Amino acid sequence: MTPRRLRSLLCALVALTVLYAAGCTSGHGRDVGGGSHAPQTGGFAPSNGAGLGSASPSGSAPSPAAPAAGWWKPAVGLTWQWQLTGTLDRSVAVDVYDVDGANTSASDVAALKSAGRHVICYVNAGAHEDFRADAKNYPESVRGKGLEGWPGEKWLDIRRWDVLEPLLAARFKVCKDKGFDAVEPDNVDGYSNSSGFPLTAADQLTFNRRVADLAHRTGLAVGLKNDVEQASSLQPAFDFAVNEECARYDECSDLKVFVDAGKPVFHVEYDGAPSSFCPQARALRFSSMKKKLALDAWREPC
């Protein structure tokens, strides 16, 4: 074999070796089925940015725990009575009663349910009340400014879920043990008031979703009380809404997201004749009535 042919043969062998190696490496990382894998992120796990005492910056919902067997799903158009003061009048012919959880006995709840009513348990979730039996369990560090017009009540630092969760869990358990079907957590709009804490809209979203999740884990339905500005974001987490004076403040249309989702809006106005707000309430399919600010037994439904 001549030196020229030997060099040519060697060159050809080298070329074939290079081509073979390239062919082997070009398929690295491809799925056998032909699909490609998404690129992986860096080696650090994502941070949630929040500890027990802080709300997440995005206002995202907490990871849900396993719920109880189920809870009541109220329908649009139910009639209701809301009484938080005075001797309970159990004779009102309505579908739903909303009453104070601490001051209503299990026998009263049982009597209402035996008459075919569903019963909602009023619980103050976002404010401290110095007249409640468990008032001493709330440390001073979570108590803020007083609620204007409501002596004995102070806004709570809703970012401190580590403190508030066990307290609310105990209250919700009382509601469940007495036979209630649902809870109405009050004062869940501290971020839009002078609370004494630098609360943000994201803090409020996180707290409200945590409260709803806690109620569901207890086996109770839960209503969004006021906080109309965040209704569209919070509707998926709640089973109904309870509203005061959306007609007076021209906010009722913001609560339509509940009715559109098949969830009732239990609504009251304190001022003006029912004829001034009932037409709009009927058009929106709200369950509406006029009440006295004291929320005694008197009512004038639409």
PDB file of all heavy atoms in Angstrom, residues 169-206:
ATOM      1  N   ALA A 169     -59.622  28.273  66.208  1.00  0.00           N
ATOM      2  CA  ALA A 169     -59.974  26.857  66.124  1.00  0.00           C
ATOM      3  C   ALA A 169     -60.848  26.455  67.308  1.00  0.00           C
ATOM      4  O   ALA A 169     -61.822  25.695  67.158  1.00  0.00           O
ATOM      5  CB  ALA A 169     -58.712  26.008  66.068  1.00  0.00           C
ATOM      6  N   ALA A 170     -60.521  26.977  68.497  1.00  0.00           N
ATOM      7  CA  ALA A 170     -61.322  26.668  69.687  1.00  0.00           C
ATOM      8  C   ALA A 170     -62.735  27.239  69.558  1.00  0.00           C
ATOM      9  O   ALA A 170     -63.721  26.582  69.927  1.00  0.00           O
ATOM     10  CB  ALA A 170     -60.639  27.221  70.930  1.00  0.00           C
ATOM     11  N   ARG A 171     -62.828  28.448  69.029  1.00  0.00           N
ATOM     12  CA  ARG A 171     -64.157  29.057  68.852  1.00  0.00           C
ATOM     13  C   ARG A 171     -64.979  28.296  67.809  1.00  0.00           C
ATOM     14  O   ARG A 171     -66.179  28.061  67.995  1.00  0.00           O
ATOM     15  CB  ARG A 171     -64.008  30.521  68.440  1.00  0.00           C
ATOM     16  CG  ARG A 171     -63.515  31.426  69.563  1.00  0.00           C
ATOM     17  CD  ARG A 171     -63.487  32.879  69.133  1.00  0.00           C
ATOM     18  NE  ARG A 171     -63.223  33.760  70.271  1.00  0.00           N
ATOM     19  CZ  ARG A 171     -63.335  35.088  70.212  1.00  0.00           C
ATOM     20  NH1 ARG A 171     -63.686  35.674  69.076  1.00  0.00           N
ATOM     21  NH2 ARG A 171     -63.091  35.828  71.287  1.00  0.00           N
ATOM     22  N   PHE A 172     -64.345  27.923  66.719  1.00  0.00           N
ATOM     23  CA  PHE A 172     -65.063  27.189  65.674  1.00  0.00           C
ATOM     24  C   PHE A 172     -65.514  25.819  66.193  1.00  0.00           C
ATOM     25  O   PHE A 172     -66.584  25.330  65.829  1.00  0.00           O
ATOM     26  CB  PHE A 172     -64.180  27.028  64.438  1.00  0.00           C
ATOM     27  CG  PHE A 172     -63.985  28.288  63.644  1.00  0.00           C
ATOM     28  CD1 PHE A 172     -64.542  29.492  64.044  1.00  0.00           C
ATOM     29  CD2 PHE A 172     -63.225  28.279  62.482  1.00  0.00           C
ATOM     30  CE1 PHE A 172     -64.357  30.662  63.305  1.00  0.00           C
ATOM     31  CE2 PHE A 172     -63.037  29.438  61.732  1.00  0.00           C
ATOM     32  CZ  PHE A 172     -63.603  30.632  62.145  1.00  0.00           C
ATOM     33  N   LYS A 173     -64.704  25.212  67.045  1.00  0.00           N
ATOM     34  CA  LYS A 173     -65.082  23.915  67.601  1.00  0.00           C
ATOM     35  C   LYS A 173     -66.324  24.055  68.483  1.00  0.00           C
ATOM     36  O   LYS A 173     -67.192  23.169  68.484  1.00  0.00           O
ATOM     37  CB  LYS A 173     -63.933  23.323  68.408  1.00  0.00           C
ATOM     38  CG  LYS A 173     -64.213  21.907  68.929  1.00  0.00           C
ATOM     39  CD  LYS A 173     -63.031  21.341  69.676  1.00  0.00           C
ATOM     40  CE  LYS A 173     -63.296  19.893  70.095  1.00  0.00           C
ATOM     41  NZ  LYS A 173     -64.480  19.764  70.965  1.00  0.00           N
ATOM     42  N   VAL A 174     -66.410  25.149  69.229  1.00  0.00           N
ATOM     43  CA  VAL A 174     -67.612  25.397  70.026  1.00  0.00           C
ATOM     44  C   VAL A 174     -68.837  25.467  69.121  1.00  0.00           C
ATOM     45  O   VAL A 174     -69.894  24.884  69.417  1.00  0.00           O
ATOM     46  CB  VAL A 174     -67.468  26.688  70.854  1.00  0.00           C
ATOM     47  CG1 VAL A 174     -68.803  27.085  71.475  1.00  0.00           C
ATOM     48  CG2 VAL A 174     -66.414  26.519  71.945  1.00  0.00           C
ATOM     49  N   CYS A 175     -68.698  26.186  68.007  1.00  0.00           N
ATOM     50  CA  CYS A 175     -69.806  26.277  67.038  1.00  0.00           C
ATOM     51  C   CYS A 175     -70.197  24.888  66.537  1.00  0.00           C
ATOM     52  O   CYS A 175     -71.379  24.538  66.485  1.00  0.00           O
ATOM     53  CB  CYS A 175     -69.407  27.153  65.856  1.00  0.00           C
ATOM     54  SG  CYS A 175     -69.087  28.884  66.260  1.00  0.00           S
ATOM     55  N   LYS A 176     -69.206  24.114  66.164  1.00  0.00           N
ATOM     56  CA  LYS A 176     -69.476  22.771  65.635  1.00  0.00           C
ATOM     57  C   LYS A 176     -70.120  21.894  66.696  1.00  0.00           C
ATOM     58  O   LYS A 176     -71.092  21.174  66.416  1.00  0.00           O
ATOM     59  CB  LYS A 176     -68.161  22.148  65.153  1.00  0.00           C
ATOM     60  CG  LYS A 176     -68.319  20.763  64.523  1.00  0.00           C
ATOM     61  CD  LYS A 176     -69.094  20.827  63.228  1.00  0.00           C
ATOM     62  CE  LYS A 176     -69.135  19.463  62.559  1.00  0.00           C
ATOM     63  NZ  LYS A 176     -69.946  19.480  61.307  1.00  0.00           N
ATOM     64  N   ASP A 177     -69.604  21.946  67.910  1.00  0.00           N
ATOM     65  CA  ASP A 177     -70.131  21.100  68.986  1.00  0.00           C
ATOM     66  C   ASP A 177     -71.564  21.467  69.348  1.00  0.00           C
ATOM     67  O   ASP A 177     -72.341  20.605  69.801  1.00  0.00           O
ATOM     68  CB  ASP A 177     -69.245  21.202  70.226  1.00  0.00           C
ATOM     69  CG  ASP A 177     -67.883  20.539  70.035  1.00  0.00           C
ATOM     70  OD1 ASP A 177     -67.711  19.797  69.042  1.00  0.00           O
ATOM     71  OD2 ASP A 177     -66.986  20.783  70.869  1.00  0.00           O
ATOM     72  N   LYS A 178     -71.926  22.747  69.176  1.00  0.00           N
ATOM     73  CA  LYS A 178     -73.301  23.170  69.469  1.00  0.00           C
ATOM     74  C   LYS A 178     -74.269  22.810  68.343  1.00  0.00           C
ATOM     75  O   LYS A 178     -75.482  22.966  68.503  1.00  0.00           O
ATOM     76  CB  LYS A 178     -73.352  24.681  69.710  1.00  0.00           C
ATOM     77  CG  LYS A 178     -72.786  25.104  71.056  1.00  0.00           C
ATOM     78  CD  LYS A 178     -72.958  26.613  71.265  1.00  0.00           C
ATOM     79  CE  LYS A 178     -72.488  27.046  72.651  1.00  0.00           C
ATOM     80  NZ  LYS A 178     -72.690  28.503  72.874  1.00  0.00           N
ATOM     81  N   GLY A 179     -73.743  22.371  67.207  1.00  0.00           N
ATOM     82  CA  GLY A 179     -74.605  21.955  66.112  1.00  0.00           C
ATOM     83  C   GLY A 179     -74.773  22.961  64.994  1.00  0.00           C
ATOM     84  O   GLY A 179     -75.611  22.761  64.102  1.00  0.00           O
ATOM     85  N   PHE A 180     -74.027  24.050  65.025  1.00  0.00           N
ATOM     86  CA  PHE A 180     -74.122  25.051  63.956  1.00  0.00           C
ATOM     87  C   PHE A 180     -73.704  24.444  62.608  1.00  0.00           C
ATOM     88  O   PHE A 180     -72.897  23.507  62.551  1.00  0.00           O
ATOM     89  CB  PHE A 180     -73.214  26.246  64.257  1.00  0.00           C
ATOM     90  CG  PHE A 180     -73.761  27.198  65.286  1.00  0.00           C
ATOM     91  CD1 PHE A 180     -73.428  27.068  66.621  1.00  0.00           C
ATOM     92  CD2 PHE A 180     -74.604  28.243  64.912  1.00  0.00           C
ATOM     93  CE1 PHE A 180     -73.917  27.945  67.575  1.00  0.00           C
ATOM     94  CE2 PHE A 180     -75.100  29.136  65.852  1.00  0.00           C
ATOM     95  CZ  PHE A 180     -74.755  28.982  67.197  1.00  0.00           C
ATOM     96  N   ASP A 181     -74.232  25.045  61.528  1.00  0.00           N
ATOM     97  CA  ASP A 181     -73.898  24.618  60.173  1.00  0.00           C
ATOM     98  C   ASP A 181     -72.775  25.441  59.555  1.00  0.00           C
ATOM     99  O   ASP A 181     -72.127  24.990  58.606  1.00  0.00           O
ATOM    100  CB  ASP A 181     -75.129  24.745  59.265  1.00  0.00           C
ATOM    101  CG  ASP A 181     -76.291  23.896  59.740  1.00  0.00           C
ATOM    102  OD1 ASP A 181     -76.171  22.658  59.700  1.00  0.00           O
ATOM    103  OD2 ASP A 181     -77.310  24.469  60.166  1.00  0.00           O
ATOM    104  N   ALA A 182     -72.568  26.652  60.066  1.00  0.00           N
ATOM    105  CA  ALA A 182     -71.643  27.573  59.400  1.00  0.00           C
ATOM    106  C   ALA A 182     -71.146  28.605  60.399  1.00  0.00           C
ATOM    107  O   ALA A 182     -71.687  28.733  61.510  1.00  0.00           O
ATOM    108  CB  ALA A 182     -72.344  28.274  58.230  1.00  0.00           C
ATOM    109  N   VAL A 183     -70.120  29.345  59.994  1.00  0.00           N
ATOM    110  CA  VAL A 183     -69.620  30.458  60.794  1.00  0.00           C
ATOM    111  C   VAL A 183     -69.635  31.744  59.970  1.00  0.00           C
ATOM    112  O   VAL A 183     -69.457  31.727  58.749  1.00  0.00           O
ATOM    113  CB  VAL A 183     -68.184  30.208  61.317  1.00  0.00           C
ATOM    114  CG1 VAL A 183     -68.198  29.176  62.417  1.00  0.00           C
ATOM    115  CG2 VAL A 183     -67.243  29.805  60.206  1.00  0.00           C
ATOM    116  N   GLU A 184     -69.858  32.840  60.680  1.00  0.00           N
ATOM    117  CA  GLU A 184     -69.749  34.178  60.088  1.00  0.00           C
ATOM    118  C   GLU A 184     -68.593  34.893  60.804  1.00  0.00           C
ATOM    119  O   GLU A 184     -68.797  35.504  61.858  1.00  0.00           O
ATOM    120  CB  GLU A 184     -71.043  34.969  60.278  1.00  0.00           C
ATOM    121  CG  GLU A 184     -70.976  36.392  59.746  1.00  0.00           C
ATOM    122  CD  GLU A 184     -71.777  37.399  60.584  1.00  0.00           C
ATOM    123  OE1 GLU A 184     -72.788  36.989  61.191  1.00  0.00           O
ATOM    124  OE2 GLU A 184     -71.360  38.574  60.628  1.00  0.00           O
ATOM    125  N   PRO A 185     -67.373  34.819  60.289  1.00  0.00           N
ATOM    126  CA  PRO A 185     -66.240  35.498  60.930  1.00  0.00           C
ATOM    127  C   PRO A 185     -66.308  37.005  60.652  1.00  0.00           C
ATOM    128  O   PRO A 185     -66.259  37.442  59.507  1.00  0.00           O
ATOM    129  CB  PRO A 185     -65.011  34.866  60.261  1.00  0.00           C
ATOM    130  CG  PRO A 185     -65.537  33.707  59.447  1.00  0.00           C
ATOM    131  CD  PRO A 185     -66.937  34.059  59.110  1.00  0.00           C
ATOM    132  N   ASP A 186     -66.409  37.783  61.722  1.00  0.00           N
ATOM    133  CA  ASP A 186     -66.574  39.228  61.573  1.00  0.00           C
ATOM    134  C   ASP A 186     -65.227  39.946  61.576  1.00  0.00           C
ATOM    135  O   ASP A 186     -64.200  39.412  61.988  1.00  0.00           O
ATOM    136  CB  ASP A 186     -67.437  39.756  62.720  1.00  0.00           C
ATOM    137  CG  ASP A 186     -68.007  41.140  62.431  1.00  0.00           C
ATOM    138  OD1 ASP A 186     -67.908  41.619  61.283  1.00  0.00           O
ATOM    139  OD2 ASP A 186     -68.555  41.750  63.379  1.00  0.00           O
ATOM    140  N   ASN A 187     -65.255  41.194  61.104  1.00  0.00           N
ATOM    141  CA  ASN A 187     -64.097  42.093  61.104  1.00  0.00           C
ATOM    142  C   ASN A 187     -62.895  41.504  60.361  1.00  0.00           C
ATOM    143  O   ASN A 187     -61.783  41.451  60.875  1.00  0.00           O
ATOM    144  CB  ASN A 187     -63.721  42.475  62.543  1.00  0.00           C
ATOM    145  CG  ASN A 187     -64.795  43.313  63.200  1.00  0.00           C
ATOM    146  OD1 ASN A 187     -65.267  44.294  62.639  1.00  0.00           O
ATOM    147  ND2 ASN A 187     -65.214  42.915  64.390  1.00  0.00           N
ATOM    148  N   VAL A 188     -63.151  41.085  59.140  1.00  0.00           N
ATOM    149  CA  VAL A 188     -62.081  40.529  58.304  1.00  0.00           C
ATOM    150  C   VAL A 188     -61.661  41.539  57.232  1.00  0.00           C
ATOM    151  O   VAL A 188     -61.324  41.175  56.098  1.00  0.00           O
ATOM    152  CB  VAL A 188     -62.508  39.189  57.669  1.00  0.00           C
ATOM    153  CG1 VAL A 188     -62.662  38.120  58.731  1.00  0.00           C
ATOM    154  CG2 VAL A 188     -63.794  39.334  56.863  1.00  0.00           C
ATOM    155  N   ASP A 189     -61.676  42.815  57.616  1.00  0.00           N
ATOM    156  CA  ASP A 189     -61.235  43.874  56.693  1.00  0.00           C
ATOM    157  C   ASP A 189     -60.367  44.892  57.427  1.00  0.00           C
ATOM    158  O   ASP A 189     -60.404  46.085  57.134  1.00  0.00           O
ATOM    159  CB  ASP A 189     -62.431  44.557  56.027  1.00  0.00           C
ATOM    160  CG  ASP A 189     -63.457  45.084  57.039  1.00  0.00           C
ATOM    161  OD1 ASP A 189     -63.241  44.912  58.261  1.00  0.00           O
ATOM    162  OD2 ASP A 189     -64.466  45.662  56.603  1.00  0.00           O
ATOM    163  N   GLY A 190     -59.572  44.427  58.384  1.00  0.00           N
ATOM    164  CA  GLY A 190     -58.732  45.328  59.169  1.00  0.00           C
ATOM    165  C   GLY A 190     -57.742  46.117  58.345  1.00  0.00           C
ATOM    166  O   GLY A 190     -57.373  47.234  58.706  1.00  0.00           O
ATOM    167  N   TYR A 191     -57.324  45.559  57.206  1.00  0.00           N
ATOM    168  CA  TYR A 191     -56.337  46.252  56.372  1.00  0.00           C
ATOM    169  C   TYR A 191     -56.848  47.583  55.846  1.00  0.00           C
ATOM    170  O   TYR A 191     -56.056  48.483  55.537  1.00  0.00           O
ATOM    171  CB  TYR A 191     -55.917  45.356  55.199  1.00  0.00           C
ATOM    172  CG  TYR A 191     -56.843  45.419  54.005  1.00  0.00           C
ATOM    173  CD1 TYR A 191     -56.501  46.165  52.881  1.00  0.00           C
ATOM    174  CD2 TYR A 191     -58.076  44.764  54.003  1.00  0.00           C
ATOM    175  CE1 TYR A 191     -57.357  46.236  51.783  1.00  0.00           C
ATOM    176  CE2 TYR A 191     -58.925  44.831  52.918  1.00  0.00           C
ATOM    177  CZ  TYR A 191     -58.556  45.561  51.808  1.00  0.00           C
ATOM    178  OH  TYR A 191     -59.403  45.645  50.728  1.00  0.00           O
ATOM    179  N   SER A 192     -58.159  47.731  55.717  1.00  0.00           N
ATOM    180  CA  SER A 192     -58.737  48.965  55.179  1.00  0.00           C
ATOM    181  C   SER A 192     -59.198  49.908  56.289  1.00  0.00           C
ATOM    182  O   SER A 192     -59.869  50.893  56.021  1.00  0.00           O
ATOM    183  CB  SER A 192     -59.915  48.642  54.251  1.00  0.00           C
ATOM    184  OG  SER A 192     -60.962  47.992  54.954  1.00  0.00           O
ATOM    185  N   ASN A 193     -58.818  49.585  57.533  1.00  0.00           N
ATOM    186  CA  ASN A 193     -59.153  50.422  58.680  1.00  0.00           C
ATOM    187  C   ASN A 193     -57.884  50.829  59.418  1.00  0.00           C
ATOM    188  O   ASN A 193     -56.797  50.313  59.145  1.00  0.00           O
ATOM    189  CB  ASN A 193     -60.083  49.645  59.631  1.00  0.00           C
ATOM    190  CG  ASN A 193     -61.473  49.459  59.071  1.00  0.00           C
ATOM    191  OD1 ASN A 193     -62.334  50.306  59.249  1.00  0.00           O
ATOM    192  ND2 ASN A 193     -61.698  48.340  58.394  1.00  0.00           N
ATOM    193  N   SER A 194     -58.033  51.747  60.355  1.00  0.00           N
ATOM    194  CA  SER A 194     -56.904  52.172  61.178  1.00  0.00           C
ATOM    195  C   SER A 194     -56.734  51.167  62.308  1.00  0.00           C
ATOM    196  O   SER A 194     -57.267  51.339  63.400  1.00  0.00           O
ATOM    197  CB  SER A 194     -57.156  53.581  61.725  1.00  0.00           C
ATOM    198  OG  SER A 194     -56.077  54.006  62.527  1.00  0.00           O
ATOM    199  N   SER A 195     -56.009  50.089  62.022  1.00  0.00           N
ATOM    200  CA  SER A 195     -55.922  48.955  62.939  1.00  0.00           C
ATOM    201  C   SER A 195     -54.810  49.086  63.974  1.00  0.00           C
ATOM    202  O   SER A 195     -54.815  48.372  64.978  1.00  0.00           O
ATOM    203  CB  SER A 195     -55.702  47.666  62.140  1.00  0.00           C
ATOM    204  OG  SER A 195     -54.409  47.670  61.548  1.00  0.00           O
ATOM    205  N   GLY A 196     -53.831  49.946  63.694  1.00  0.00           N
ATOM    206  CA  GLY A 196     -52.659  50.018  64.562  1.00  0.00           C
ATOM    207  C   GLY A 196     -51.526  49.144  64.076  1.00  0.00           C
ATOM    208  O   GLY A 196     -50.448  49.124  64.679  1.00  0.00           O
ATOM    209  N   PHE A 197     -51.761  48.406  62.995  1.00  0.00           N
ATOM    210  CA  PHE A 197     -50.737  47.551  62.399  1.00  0.00           C
ATOM    211  C   PHE A 197     -50.612  47.885  60.908  1.00  0.00           C
ATOM    212  O   PHE A 197     -51.598  48.295  60.277  1.00  0.00           O
ATOM    213  CB  PHE A 197     -51.108  46.075  62.555  1.00  0.00           C
ATOM    214  CG  PHE A 197     -51.343  45.652  63.975  1.00  0.00           C
ATOM    215  CD1 PHE A 197     -52.630  45.406  64.440  1.00  0.00           C
ATOM    216  CD2 PHE A 197     -50.281  45.499  64.856  1.00  0.00           C
ATOM    217  CE1 PHE A 197     -52.856  45.014  65.750  1.00  0.00           C
ATOM    218  CE2 PHE A 197     -50.499  45.115  66.170  1.00  0.00           C
ATOM    219  CZ  PHE A 197     -51.785  44.871  66.618  1.00  0.00           C
ATOM    220  N   PRO A 198     -49.421  47.691  60.316  1.00  0.00           N
ATOM    221  CA  PRO A 198     -49.241  47.993  58.891  1.00  0.00           C
ATOM    222  C   PRO A 198     -49.771  46.869  58.007  1.00  0.00           C
ATOM    223  O   PRO A 198     -49.023  46.236  57.243  1.00  0.00           O
ATOM    224  CB  PRO A 198     -47.722  48.148  58.769  1.00  0.00           C
ATOM    225  CG  PRO A 198     -47.169  47.225  59.802  1.00  0.00           C
ATOM    226  CD  PRO A 198     -48.143  47.296  60.965  1.00  0.00           C
ATOM    227  N   LEU A 199     -51.054  46.609  58.089  1.00  0.00           N
ATOM    228  CA  LEU A 199     -51.646  45.503  57.342  1.00  0.00           C
ATOM    229  C   LEU A 199     -51.822  45.873  55.873  1.00  0.00           C
ATOM    230  O   LEU A 199     -52.200  46.999  55.549  1.00  0.00           O
ATOM    231  CB  LEU A 199     -53.001  45.125  57.942  1.00  0.00           C
ATOM    232  CG  LEU A 199     -53.016  44.762  59.433  1.00  0.00           C
ATOM    233  CD1 LEU A 199     -54.430  44.428  59.876  1.00  0.00           C
ATOM    234  CD2 LEU A 199     -52.075  43.608  59.718  1.00  0.00           C
ATOM    235  N   THR A 200     -51.583  44.913  55.005  1.00  0.00           N
ATOM    236  CA  THR A 200     -51.731  45.120  53.571  1.00  0.00           C
ATOM    237  C   THR A 200     -52.909  44.310  53.044  1.00  0.00           C
ATOM    238  O   THR A 200     -53.437  43.417  53.727  1.00  0.00           O
ATOM    239  CB  THR A 200     -50.462  44.692  52.824  1.00  0.00           C
ATOM    240  OG1 THR A 200     -50.307  43.263  52.955  1.00  0.00           O
ATOM    241  CG2 THR A 200     -49.227  45.400  53.376  1.00  0.00           C
ATOM    242  N   ALA A 201     -53.290  44.591  51.810  1.00  0.00           N
ATOM    243  CA  ALA A 201     -54.348  43.807  51.173  1.00  0.00           C
ATOM    244  C   ALA A 201     -53.947  42.339  51.084  1.00  0.00           C
ATOM    245  O   ALA A 201     -54.779  41.433  51.253  1.00  0.00           O
ATOM    246  CB  ALA A 201     -54.642  44.368  49.786  1.00  0.00           C
ATOM    247  N   ALA A 202     -52.663  42.081  50.832  1.00  0.00           N
ATOM    248  CA  ALA A 202     -52.176  40.698  50.758  1.00  0.00           C
ATOM    249  C   ALA A 202     -52.273  40.007  52.115  1.00  0.00           C
ATOM    250  O   ALA A 202     -52.624  38.820  52.196  1.00  0.00           O
ATOM    251  CB  ALA A 202     -50.731  40.669  50.258  1.00  0.00           C
ATOM    252  N   ASP A 203     -51.980  40.740  53.192  1.00  0.00           N
ATOM    253  CA  ASP A 203     -52.140  40.179  54.536  1.00  0.00           C
ATOM    254  C   ASP A 203     -53.587  39.750  54.767  1.00  0.00           C
ATOM    255  O   ASP A 203     -53.856  38.685  55.330  1.00  0.00           O
ATOM    256  CB  ASP A 203     -51.757  41.212  55.601  1.00  0.00           C
ATOM    257  CG  ASP A 203     -50.277  41.546  55.621  1.00  0.00           C
ATOM    258  OD1 ASP A 203     -49.458  40.680  55.276  1.00  0.00           O
ATOM    259  OD2 ASP A 203     -49.939  42.692  55.982  1.00  0.00           O
ATOM    260  N   GLN A 204     -54.515  40.603  54.320  1.00  0.00           N
ATOM    261  CA  GLN A 204     -55.930  40.310  54.548  1.00  0.00           C
ATOM    262  C   GLN A 204     -56.383  39.112  53.739  1.00  0.00           C
ATOM    263  O   GLN A 204     -57.121  38.250  54.243  1.00  0.00           O
ATOM    264  CB  GLN A 204     -56.782  41.533  54.195  1.00  0.00           C
ATOM    265  CG  GLN A 204     -58.204  41.450  54.736  1.00  0.00           C
ATOM    266  CD  GLN A 204     -58.233  41.560  56.248  1.00  0.00           C
ATOM    267  OE1 GLN A 204     -57.844  42.566  56.827  1.00  0.00           O
ATOM    268  NE2 GLN A 204     -58.701  40.502  56.914  1.00  0.00           N
ATOM    269  N   LEU A 205     -55.956  39.033  52.489  1.00  0.00           N
ATOM    270  CA  LEU A 205     -56.315  37.885  51.665  1.00  0.00           C
ATOM    271  C   LEU A 205     -55.831  36.589  52.304  1.00  0.00           C
ATOM    272  O   LEU A 205     -56.556  35.587  52.364  1.00  0.00           O
ATOM    273  CB  LEU A 205     -55.725  38.032  50.259  1.00  0.00           C
ATOM    274  CG  LEU A 205     -56.380  39.054  49.328  1.00  0.00           C
ATOM    275  CD1 LEU A 205     -55.548  39.234  48.068  1.00  0.00           C
ATOM    276  CD2 LEU A 205     -57.805  38.630  48.966  1.00  0.00           C
ATOM    277  N   THR A 206     -54.601  36.609  52.774  1.00  0.00           N
ATOM    278  CA  THR A 206     -54.037  35.408  53.390  1.00  0.00           C
ATOM    279  C   THR A 206     -54.813  35.022  54.645  1.00  0.00           C
ATOM    280  O   THR A 206     -55.171  33.854  54.838  1.00  0.00           O
ATOM    281  CB  THR A 206     -52.554  35.626  53.740  1.00  0.00           C
ATOM    282  OG1 THR A 206     -51.831  35.871  52.531  1.00  0.00           O
ATOM    283  CG2 THR A 206     -51.957  34.421  54.428  1.00  0.00           C
TER     284      THR A 206
END
